[in-house]
Amino acid sequence: MITAHVPRAAIVSPVAAGLTVAVLALNLRPAVTSMGTLLSHIETAAGLSPALAATLVALPTWAFALGGVTAWRLRARFGIRAVVSSALGVLAVSLIARTLPGDITIVAGTTAACLAIAVLGALLPVIVSTATPGSAACYTACLGAGSAVGALLTPTGVAWQLGLGCWALLAAVGLLAWQGSSRHLSVPAGAVPAVRVSPRALTPRGTIATLTVHFGLLSAVTFLLMGRLPTILHAAGLTPAAAGHHFAAVMVLGVPVSLAVPFLARRVPHTPLAVGFAGSSIAGVTGLMISPASVTWLWTGLLGVGLGALALALVDLNRRTAGDPDTTAALSSVVQGIGYALAGVLALGLGLLETATGTWTWSLFALVVALVGQALTATTIGDVRAASTSPEVP
């Protein structure tokens, strides 16, 4: 296990922890899945080029990379209360800003929103690591629920600006809830950790590299599906409404799967669980590649089960640090930061491949290759135990 030689302190009370984890996790995905739901409509209404549309799909992963890398440093300097409050405020404002006219505003607003989400996502394992055991299940369930509500409840019968901007309300509610629940923090407002653990101090490097590659591959798959699945299904001959229903079904199915992950992770070895999720996604993507319009519900159902891979990876970050908040922040920052950067390159490449070939067949084939890599790295992670790290004082 990765551990740090620093004192552990409870961050939130058990009652506040559930609310805190739930409201933060719910805000991590609607900004992304709402874009996936409306992307085809935005391309038509706003005149987005195919290259810009592909960039918008890959953009969240790059922003998540940058935000994830800096999250641990922000926490060490300003304290978790101030950082989370600022991130929620930026998220609310940027979700509205990206609905303003112009290609620059939609790109800038999406970038700012995803940077805020990245900081929240990297710090959530820190909160979970010091909360009650049930917080891990709440975390993964609400992460999946956020994906589902973004896909299912984004209004499509109105102007796309309203469909995207309405999720600023959820961020505003999250900020209000955080302001109340974070008062239960065990450290004074504005206090910062006396000792921090740098990502550079984490060992062994091989294990961390494998974790990072694994996270990058599964994130590329997850975000490509979040951003492009309706487009893929529509290109296969489904009506926009049917494609939207299948997309929402994938996200909804991810909720119970994500909820079950923390319980399964305590009872089933990591390797068969991670390989099983990858195998489900491989079957689903292969089905879409070979016969997308036939038994589509089976293919999308398999993809929904495969979304459990991301929840498992996030839960695994906490398990490998023995729950220490400083080490969890460092490991989460490096794995999510570099992993999302890799995912961004893959997601953009797959989108541009479709633009160049005029078909999703080759992109889906490349996605299967990435999923095989996800399964192979999962077996390596299961066989290697992460060792300890030393604290690094600023």
Side-chain angles (χ1 to χ4, degrees), residues 279-339:
S280 181
S281 293
I282 289 172
V285 173
T286 302
L288 290 180
M289 181 172 58
I290 296 174
S291 182
S294 176
V295 291
T296 309
W297 287 107
L298 174 59
W299 311 140
T300 53
L302 289 167
L303 292 175
V305 173
L307 290 180
L310 181 60
L312 178 62
L314 293 172
V315 169
D316 197 49
L317 291 178
N318 180 40
R319 182 181 67 83
R320 291 179 180 279
T321 61
D324 177 77
D326 292 297
T327 312
T328 301
L331 183 63
S332 178
S333 186
V334 68
V335 170
Q336 293 196 46
I338 300 175

Side-chain angles (χ1 to χ4, degrees), residues 7-318:
R8 174 179 175 176
I11 290 185
V12 292
S13 69
V15 174
L19 173 62
T20 301
V21 170
V23 76
L24 295 185
L26 282 172
N27 271 285
L28 294 182
R29 292 295 178 263
V32 178
T33 53
S34 62
M35 178 66 77
T37 298
L38 294 171
L39 186 57
S40 296
H41 181 53
I42 297 173
E43 286 183 271
T44 301
L48 294 181
S49 66
L52 183 56
T55 300
L56 286 174
V57 172
L59 189 58
T61 56
W62 293 331
F64 286 2
L66 180 59
V69 166
T70 58
W72 75 275
R73 190 179 296 277
L74 292 173
R75 170 182 174 267
R77 182 169 184 179
F78 300 108
I80 198 167
R81 291 184 66 186
V83 173
V84 170
S85 295
S86 298
L88 287 166
V90 170
L91 178 60
V93 172
S94 58
L95 288 177
I96 295 175
R98 72 174 180 174
T99 65
L100 299 176
D103 291 351
I104 294 177
T105 56
I106 193 170
V107 172
T110 300
T111 301
C114 292
L115 285 171
I117 291 170
V119 172
L120 293 175
L123 293 181
L124 253 176
V126 181
I127 298 173
V128 171
S129 71
T130 55
T132 56
S135 293
C138 180
Y139 170 32
T140 57
C142 289
L143 180 65
S147 299
V149 298
L152 191 62
L153 301 183
T154 295
T156 57
V158 296
W160 65 266
Q161 291 90 341
L162 178 61
L164 289 184
C166 67
W167 296 107
L169 293 174
L170 180 60
V173 171
L175 179 57
L176 292 175
W178 171 253
Q179 289 295 317
S181 62
S182 65
R183 295 173 184 174
H184 297 277
L185 289 167
S186 61
V187 294
V192 299
V195 177
R196 71 178 181 215
V197 177
S198 168
R200 294 189 300 271
L202 299 174
T203 57
R205 299 298 174 85
T207 296
I208 296 164
T210 304
L211 281 167
T212 301
V213 172
H214 178 72
F215 189 83
L217 291 172
L218 67 87
S219 296
V221 174
T222 300
F223 282 90
L224 186 73
L225 293 177
M226 285 182 179
R228 286 296 198 178
L229 184 57
T231 304
I232 294 170
L233 293 174
H234 182 48
L238 276 70
T239 65
H245 292 155
H246 282 288
F247 176 58
V250 172
M251 298 297 111
V252 170
L253 183 57
V255 178
V257 173
S258 298
L259 179 62
V261 162
F263 300 99
L264 291 173
R266 291 197 296 267
R267 294 166 175 81
V268 180
H270 175 100
T271 297
L273 196 56
V275 172
F277 285 136
S280 181
S281 293
I282 289 172
V285 173
T286 302
L288 290 180
M289 181 172 58
I290 296 174
S291 182
S294 176
V295 291
T296 309
W297 287 107
L298 174 59
W299 311 140
T300 53
L302 289 167
L303 292 175
V305 173
L307 290 180
L310 181 60
L312 178 62
L314 293 172
V315 169
D316 197 49
L317 291 178
N318 180 40

Side-chain angles (χ1 to χ4, degrees), residues 54 220-221 224 345-355 359-360 362-367 370:
V221 174
L224 186 73
V345 173
L346 291 174
L348 178 61
L350 293 174
L352 294 178
L353 180 60
E354 183 277 333
T355 300
T359 176
W360 281 102
W362 289 107
S363 295
L364 291 175
F365 177 78
L367 200 60

